[in-house]
Amino acid sequence: MNQHDHQIHEGESLRSAAQQRLVAKGEQWTDMRAAIFDALAGFDKPASAYDIAESVSRAQGRRVAANSVYRILDLFVASNLARRVESANAYVANAHPDCLHDCIFLICDTCGQAVHIDDDGITGGVRQAASAAGFSAQRPVIEVRGTCGDCDSD
Ligand SMILES: [Zn+2]
Ligand SMILES: [Zn+2]
Ligand SMILES: [Zn+2]
């Protein structure tokens, strides 16, 4: 990885890093956005907009529509607060809202957990290969399906 202060956040520290990042982008950290971020960060595996709508509805005791969750998730992805795990059709909170990487996800077919790694050497190589083929890469999606260490040892 290139030289920078790469910080992986969790819990309170993740929440405040996400909040700071969103505000720095000129967006408001509304109660609804905060509730959706908390719900997303609370899942231990990639969550769909429906999973998140359910969780927020339960916490707030009122119905939250999946559509409004989608809109906020889109904003989160665009602002580097969340990542979409394409092959799981779901979202995870981005543990490093302060810095941009082409995150690589390892997704367990048994338990559904997604392990996240950053390796700019690999993703940079993919971007270079795309560019050598005359293709302008916006977002390499590198996801590996398989079995996680926990499930493998069962
Ligand atoms: Zn970084
Ligand atoms: Zn990452
Ligand atoms: Zn597993």
Side-chain angles (χ1 to χ4, degrees), residues 1-2 4-7 96 98-101 118 120:
M1 205 168 312
N2 53 4
H4 68 280
D5 184 19
H6 185 76
Q7 282 193 55
H96 51 75
D98 313 312
C99 59
L100 211 55
H101 293 281
D118 294 303
D120 292 347

Side-chain angles (χ1 to χ4, degrees), residues 94 96 101 103 116-118:
N94 183 1
H96 51 75
H101 293 281
C103 300
H116 154 235
I117 52 179
D118 294 303

